[in-house]
Amino acid sequence: MEILSSTQIVSLSGPLKIESLAISGSRIFVGSNTGALLVFRETDGTYTQTSSLPLSKKPLKQLSVVRELGFLFVLLDNQISVYDLESLSFLHNLPRSASISFFLTATSIAPDATVSARLVAVTQKGKTLVSYHWSNGDLAPPTEILLPDRARNIAFFTANDSTSFDLASPRLLILTGSKFLLADLAQSALLPESTSGTVSHVLSSSSSFLYAPKSHAVSLPNGVALIVKDTASAYVTREGTPLIDRPQIPWSYAPDIVAYYFPYILSATSSSLQVRNPVTQSLLQDLKISGITTLVSSGKTLLGATTNTLYHFNVADYDSQISHLIDINLLEEAITLLRQFNPAAFPNRNHRLRQIEILRATQLFQQGSYRKALEIFSDVSANPQTVIDLYPAVISGHTANGVVRGRSPTVTSEVSIQSTASHQVKKKSSQSSIVSAKDLLEARRHILDTDKAQFSAAVRALRGFLGDARRKMKQLKLVEVQEIKDPFISLEEYGDLDETAQLVDTVLFKCYILTDSALLESLVRVENACDPNVVRDWLTAKQKYKALVEFYFGKGMHKNALELLQEFGKEGMQQNGTAAHENHNHKEDEKIEDDLKGPQATIQYLQRLSADDIDYIFEYAKWPLSLDLSYAKQIFMSETSDSEVLPRRQVCDFLSQYSTALVVEYLEYIINVFGDMDPETHTRLVVLYIQLLIEDKDNKEVHQKLLDFIMNPDSTQFDITVALELVPPHDANFFDVKIALLFRAGRHRDALKIIVYSMQDVDEALEYCKKVIKSDGPSDIVDILLKMYLDPIETARHKAEVNVEAGLRVLSTYQHSVDSKLALELLPDNVRMSDLEEFLTRSIRTLVSKEAESKILVSLDKSNVLENEYKLLLARDPSVVVTSARLCKVCFKRLGKSVFYLLPDGRTVHYACAEV
């Protein structure tokens, strides 16, 4: 694979040797062994030397350009000198930069546009670091960090999740002879040592050699650095954690130079320049070029140099590189490289990445790595149809027996991916690869059709993918696409969400029924988009009728469910010899689940229906009720049902077709349990009670229920007038009912007439008065009763006789409540005084007590008046004693002989102060 191609741009002759390189735009700076700085400029692809500046007599060992500062740093005579980048004039030497062995620079621009630059220099003895920091061009005083051992190499860490250096909190990797150190440049201090066995082994590998291999420290993106010593390598994070899961780079020879040029690791040996994938460590190119001693890059420009030759390396277009990797089936390499690109810099990055991942997952699927393949499909949110089409017809088809109806070709999506990804492949080779892919896929489908273990593994992997797809489609429906952070989730990939949801749920249903039927209910009981026809066919074929009923319920297909339950219920009863068989259309060997036999399954289903399904409830409740009317209680009066929300008038009308007693029981239920306060409900219950009593006057239970309901203080909603009209007026069995109704209506006189003249029950009359007084407080109810017994005109009107004995009982019982004058007027002349002694005695005592109480109240009123008059007199004629020591309450000076003023609140003040 050709990633880099070299072009020789400069060749030095004579004693001149290349010691160092630096790039600034179109200019190349070459540090020579003679101390001269050679400057070359690129014009239309041609490099021309523009100047040669003799800076020293010694080699220019290191050059570095910092364009943000406008500086060219030169290491000459072991000191760092600063030159102006444009004019190349000498500016100054960096302070405290004598005896420098090598240095490293880095720059960054913060979000607030602050430009930071850092330079870290290592002294010749290697045990001191000198750190320089520029912020917006201003140099801070340099700081030093002392090291426990000699530094062999250093590297800045990039920021986490970035390719840029983090100079706000800069970290530096320092390689010594046997370990690595981390330095916090902001604090000018070393961090605690944290080497691991793996890294320690790499750094101590020189112990087995007769020479000291060179150590390399290379900055990589995302806060990672590469450590290399001889042929060993390791990765470490900016927190000091070794990445032991990354394998070592398999170098055959120790590299002379190691560098990072996005997105590759470059290494130079005496005979070649190698290009490797930093994630997989795979060797992608081995460019035969000898003697590379220096590699530098700036932006997209990459230069290399031998001792006398300068090379420009041309980098192939990234899109072409990715396509070539796909063409040679290095999909893992293409994926890992693509993932390093920023989508903003590589516009179609996510699209290409999805294509390659799907192609890679398809290959893994063909190889039998189902779980890994389906995980990749989930990671890139692959179109569910693409994934499902990889499976045999029993999964990707639409019928229970695997016969495909309207199924699109299973290779279409795969071919589309491959042809798009490999657009540079010749037509003939593309066709052969497609045919090969199709053959492999068909072979894999055949394996899945014949190998139960393989099929089970593949389907279980598919279940995870489909569950993830369900979640993502739900997310797309609930939120705006812009709010979803996953770049692979898109409406374009999932297409019509309703259609795709039906496909996903239907196939997920098949996965459950084929591999783990215990999970069926977890799908059919919740909201789903399964194709009803497919579910019906499969569940019927598998005789999973309970699951089918649950599915129908979730879909609102209540008629289908109830028809099935009724059919199986009747059939089950017929099999048990309890009912006649009707419309038996099933095979004799068909097994009906025990829970579906009889009416109970139908009843339980009806209990779950809501008010919107009342027509289904009425229609399919008829069969259970035809067997036993007591089932009505389970359907309409069960705590497990939605009976509270059912239309109550309609339920009453329905139950009335079967039994008045059922309606009564239902009305009692909704009033007592749900607290129904609808006047129509209460009135209807009272009316039905009365009707039941008319039909059966000896029904003591209903009689007592009616009386209890009428006299219940909470039963205030029923229409008393309607109830009174229904009660037979002269039927002695209903006297107590009518009296109770009249009591609730406040028609006490009418109630007493029934008790006195129809029932002729003195005790009941006296008890009624007691209830009225307790309920309404003091009233004339006793006087009314007394008249009914003693008034000749009143008794004559009702064809009764004066009842002196009853009248005397009234006087004896309610002597404190009766009007004494009225009583004496009503009593006949022939009543003996001895019969009135108790009444008259208590009456006289009551009168005397009232008169005495009245006199006491008059006396108290007079005393209260006298007391108030005395207080008024005192207020109108006040007196005050003013002594020589008395002070004014305003100015707090002595009153003396001054004119004073007595305020209404009792304070004594100067007359002049009173106005204040």
Side-chain angles (χ1 to χ4, degrees):
M1 175 178 176
E2 185 175 288
I3 298 173
L4 300 179
S5 59
S6 62
T7 303
Q8 180 178 322
I9 56 175
V10 173
S11 181
L12 302 182
S13 59
L16 284 177
K17 304 292 182 185
I18 299 175
E19 292 286 340
S20 55
L21 281 177
I23 307 172
S24 176
S26 60
R27 292 186 297 169
I28 301 175
F29 302 100
V30 177
S32 69
N33 60 332
T34 62
L37 178 66
L38 309 178
V39 182
F40 297 85
R41 183 179 294 274
E42 185 268 335
T43 304
D44 297 329
T46 302
Y47 290 85
T48 306
Q49 182 174 345
T50 58
S51 61
S52 176
L53 303 176
L55 304 183
S56 172
K57 293 183 179 180
K58 293 183 179 181
L60 305 183
K61 294 184 177 180
Q62 192 172 353
L63 302 176
S64 181
V65 169
V66 180
R67 297 182 63 181
E68 291 79 1
L69 299 178
F71 292 161
L72 171 65
F73 295 98
V74 182
L75 180 60
L76 48 85
D77 297 330
N78 301 117
Q79 188 167 28
I80 301 175
S81 300
V82 183
Y83 289 81
D84 182 85
L85 187 58
E86 295 301 323
S87 65
L88 297 181
S89 58
F90 174 76
L91 298 178
H92 58 81
N93 292 325
L94 284 182
R96 295 162 63 177
S97 67
S99 302
I100 299 300
S101 176
F102 62 92
F103 67 90
L104 185 68
T105 60
T107 60
S108 71
I109 300 178
D112 61 357
T114 299
V115 177
S116 294
R118 283 193 179 270
L119 184 149
V120 177
V122 180
T123 60
Q124 283 187 315
K125 292 184 179 181
K127 290 192 175 184
T128 303
L129 297 181
V130 185
S131 176
Y132 303 87
H133 179 215
W134 288 264
S135 179
N136 287 332
D138 298 326
L139 175 63
T143 60
E144 292 186 356
I145 301 175
L146 299 180
L147 304 178
D149 197 359
R150 181 182 178 185
R152 303 297 179 88
N153 213 324
I154 58 176
F156 285 103
F157 279 104
T158 55
N160 290 326
D161 301 320
S162 174
T163 58
S164 303
F165 293 109
D166 183 6
L167 299 187
S169 53
R171 292 281 177 92
L172 189 73
L173 172 67
I174 306 162
L175 299 187
T176 64
S178 59
K179 59 185 176 181
F180 73 87
L181 304 172
L182 295 184
D184 185 340
L185 298 181
Q187 302 297 326
S188 299
L190 293 176
L191 297 178
E193 297 181 15
S194 57
T195 60
S196 72
T198 302
V199 178
S200 297
H201 172 73
V202 171
L203 293 174
S204 61
S205 62
S206 62
S207 60
S208 60
F209 293 90
L210 299 176
Y211 62 94
K214 187 175 182 181
S215 299
H216 304 279
V218 183
S219 299
L220 299 178
N222 306 318
V224 176
L226 171 65
I227 298 173
V228 181
K229 192 169 187 181
D230 197 65
T231 59
S233 61
Y235 298 87
V236 64
T237 68
R238 60 182 286 117
E239 287 76 29
T241 305
L243 301 179
I244 58 177
D245 58 326
R246 289 197 185 184
Q248 293 196 27
I249 299 175
W251 276 303
S252 300
Y253 303 97
D256 298 321
I257 301 173
V258 181
Y260 179 76
Y261 180 69
F262 182 84
Y264 301 108
I265 291 176
L266 307 180
S267 60
T269 64
S270 59
S271 60
S272 66
L273 177 63
Q274 294 183 342
V275 181
R276 293 182 180 272
N277 184 328
V279 178
T280 64
Q281 286 80 46
S282 301
L283 177 61
L284 300 178
Q285 184 181 8
D286 190 5
L287 183 63
K288 297 303 180 181
I289 184 169
S290 302
I292 294 292
T293 58
T294 305
L295 285 172
V296 294
S297 64
S298 176
K300 295 184 178 181
T301 303
L302 175 63
L303 298 179
T306 62
T307 55
N308 57 5
T309 306
L310 186 60
Y311 294 93
H312 179 274
F313 295 102
N314 302 302
V315 183
D317 175 72
Y318 289 132
D319 200 56
S320 300
Q321 293 181 38
I322 299 299
S323 297
H324 183 70
L325 288 171
I326 297 171
D327 293 342
I328 59 178
N329 204 31
L330 293 179
L331 303 182
E332 183 72 22
E333 306 298 332
I335 290 168
T336 53
L337 292 176
L338 262 178
R339 287 192 179 278
Q340 298 182 62
F341 290 112
N342 189 323
F346 200 110
N348 66 339
R349 177 251 198 189
N350 290 336
H351 175 68
R352 292 297 302 275
L353 187 58
R354 185 204 298 273
Q355 288 181 327
I356 303 168
E357 288 278 26
I358 291 175
L359 188 57
R360 173 175 168 242
T362 303
Q363 291 182 355
L364 289 172
F365 186 89
Q366 293 168 350
Q367 297 163 9
S369 299
Y370 308 116
R371 182 174 295 279
K372 180 62 177 176
L374 271 296
E375 286 176 355
I376 295 173
F377 282 131
S378 290
D379 290 342
V380 298
S381 302
N383 185 292
Q385 183 69 64
T386 301
V387 179
I388 293 167
D389 282 347
L390 298 174
Y391 283 78
V394 70
I395 291 293
S396 57
H398 304 301
T399 63
N401 57 12
V403 177
V404 182
R405 290 205 304 258
R407 176 166 162 258
S408 57
T410 57
V411 194
T412 303
S413 300
E414 178 197 355
V415 173
S416 175
I417 294 167
Q418 184 156 354
S419 60
T420 304
S422 308
H423 58 84
Q424 291 186 338
V425 183
K426 294 182 180 180
K427 183 176 181 181
K428 182 176 180 180
S429 61
S430 177
Q431 288 176 346
S432 61
S433 66
I434 293 171
V435 172
S436 176
K438 181 177 180 180
D439 292 342
L440 288 172
L441 188 54
E442 288 299 334
R444 178 53 52 183
R445 290 198 190 104
H446 178 71
I447 292 173
L448 295 178
D449 275 333
T450 55
D451 189 321
K452 185 176 180 180
Q454 291 261 351
F455 179 80
S456 179
V459 171
R460 289 180 186 277
L462 179 60
R463 280 166 29 186
F465 168 80
L466 295 175
D468 182 65
R470 293 186 86 215
R471 177 188 62 80
K472 291 174 179 176
M473 286 188 290
K474 184 176 181 180
Q475 189 178 5
L476 282 171
K477 288 183 177 181
L478 294 178
V479 302
E480 296 292 333
V481 178
Q482 295 80 0
E483 299 177 13
I484 300 176
K485 296 181 180 180
D486 189 335
F488 295 118
I489 300 178
S490 65
L491 287 171
E492 292 78 7
E493 189 65 20
Y494 285 104
D496 186 293
L497 290 180
D498 292 333
E499 291 182 3
T500 306
Q502 184 180 75
L503 171 69
V504 168
D505 283 4
T506 303
V507 174
L508 183 59
F509 161 80
K510 294 187 200 177
C511 292
Y512 285 156
I513 202 170
L514 288 170
T515 58
D516 196 345
S517 58
L519 296 174
L520 270 179
E521 289 196 6
S522 66
L523 178 64
V524 298
R525 278 184 176 271
V526 300
E527 182 181 356
N528 63 78
C530 294
D531 185 338
N533 295 326
V534 175
V535 173
R536 181 199 61 218
D537 293 345
W538 277 75
L539 291 179
T540 302
K542 298 290 184 179
Q543 297 186 13
K544 300 285 185 181
Y545 299 114
K546 286 177 63 178
L548 180 57
V549 169
E550 289 299 328
F551 174 76
Y552 281 149
F553 181 84
K555 285 292 185 181
M557 300 171 67
H558 303 308
K559 184 175 181 63
N560 301 68
L562 288 166
E563 287 285 352
L564 189 66
L565 288 173
Q566 181 170 302
E567 182 179 354
F568 285 157
K570 292 180 179 181
E571 186 173 328
M573 293 178 66
Q574 190 266 350
Q575 290 176 2
N576 293 331
T578 59
H581 172 59
E582 299 178 11
N583 300 323
H584 179 46
N585 296 321
H586 297 275
K587 298 178 181 179
E588 294 181 358
D589 60 346
E590 185 175 44
K591 182 180 179 182
I592 300 175
E593 293 154 297
D594 291 339
D595 293 347
L596 302 182
K597 296 177 181 179
Q600 203 58 46
T602 299
I603 292 171
Q604 291 172 356
Y605 192 96
L606 294 174
Q607 289 174 341
R608 300 165 63 188
L609 299 183
S610 64
D612 295 335
D613 309 309
I614 191 65
D615 292 336
Y616 290 126
I617 296 176
F618 290 157
E619 181 180 355
Y620 291 95
K622 294 176 182 178
W623 172 58
L625 293 180
S626 68
L627 301 174
D628 189 342
L629 290 180
S630 65
Y631 288 140
K633 188 171 184 178
Q634 296 183 46
I635 298 172
F636 299 104
M637 293 168 268
S638 171
E639 294 181 1
T640 60
S641 67
D642 285 337
S643 53
E644 183 175 3
V645 299
L646 296 180
R648 294 166 185 176
R649 181 187 300 177
Q650 292 177 250
V651 173
C652 287
D653 293 343
F654 174 76
L655 293 177
S656 65
Q657 302 173 30
Y658 294 90
S659 167
T660 303
L662 278 180
V663 182
V664 169
E665 190 174 4
Y666 176 73
L667 291 172
E668 290 173 344
Y669 178 78
I670 62 176
I671 291 173
N672 297 331
V673 177
F674 300 137
D676 190 313
M677 299 301 289
D678 184 4
E680 181 180 349
T681 301
H682 286 240
T683 302
R684 188 165 189 170
L685 179 57
V686 172
V687 168
L688 290 177
Y689 278 147
I690 295 172
Q691 290 177 352
L692 287 174
L693 277 180
I694 292 174
E695 295 172 3
D696 182 6
K697 296 178 181 179
D698 297 328
N699 193 331
K700 295 181 179 180
E701 181 182 359
V702 173
H703 195 116
Q704 189 59 48
K705 281 185 177 181
L706 176 58
L707 288 175
D708 292 343
F709 186 78
I710 293 173
M711 297 308 296
N712 188 340
D714 296 331
S715 302
T716 59
Q717 305 299 315
F718 67 92
D719 191 328
I720 297 176
T721 304
V722 173
L724 284 170
E725 290 176 353
L726 289 174
V727 174
H730 306 298
D731 192 332
N733 293 298
F734 287 91
F735 282 162
D736 55 351
V737 174
K738 192 166 187 178
I739 291 168
L741 290 170
L742 291 170
F743 176 83
R744 292 300 300 271
R747 294 167 56 181
H748 304 308
R749 182 183 294 274
D750 294 334
L752 286 174
K753 285 180 182 179
I754 297 174
I755 298 171
V756 172
Y757 300 125
S758 298
M759 297 176 63
Q760 299 180 3
D761 189 335
V762 179
D763 293 333
E764 182 65 26
L766 294 174
E767 184 64 27
Y768 187 88
C769 290
K770 182 180 179 180
K771 286 196 300 183
V772 172
I773 293 171
K774 183 179 180 180
S775 173
D776 302 342
S779 67
D780 60 349
I781 187 65
V782 178
D783 296 336
I784 294 172
L785 178 60
L786 193 62
K787 281 184 178 183
M788 289 184 178
Y789 282 125
L790 299 179
D791 189 344
I793 299 175
E794 184 75 17
T795 54
R797 185 182 296 118
H798 293 88
K799 299 178 181 181
E801 296 180 358
V802 173
N803 191 340
V804 177
E805 183 181 352
L808 292 175
R809 284 192 62 186
V810 173
L811 291 175
S812 175
T813 306
Y814 295 106
Q815 50 194 311
H816 297 294
S817 303
V818 74
D819 186 340
S820 301
K821 182 180 178 182
L822 175 63
L824 293 173
E825 290 176 352
L826 290 175
L827 285 170
D829 296 337
N830 59 354
V831 177
R832 293 178 300 177
M833 290 301 294
S834 60
D835 294 334
L836 297 175
E837 180 181 359
E838 184 179 357
F839 166 70
L840 291 173
T841 301
R842 291 185 179 180
S843 296
I844 292 170
R845 286 177 180 174
T846 300
L847 290 173
V848 171
S849 176
K850 288 183 178 180
E851 184 177 359
E853 182 181 352
S854 177
K855 289 180 180 180
I856 292 171
L857 291 175
V858 170
S859 298
L860 289 174
D861 287 341
K862 287 181 178 180
S863 175
N864 189 37
V865 169
L866 289 174
E867 183 180 358
N868 288 332
E869 287 178 349
Y870 177 71
K871 289 181 179 179
L872 180 61
L873 181 63
L874 291 176
R876 289 178 176 176
D877 189 21
S879 63
V880 64
V881 177
V882 178
T883 64
S884 60
R886 196 176 184 93
L887 301 178
C888 171
K889 297 299 182 179
V890 174
C891 66
F892 297 102
K893 296 180 180 179
R894 294 173 182 244
L895 291 174
K897 296 182 180 180
S898 303
V899 178
F900 66 87
Y901 191 90
L902 182 63
L903 296 175
D905 59 3
R907 292 183 299 159
T908 307
V909 300
H910 287 110
Y911 183 80
C913 292
E915 298 179 356
V916 178

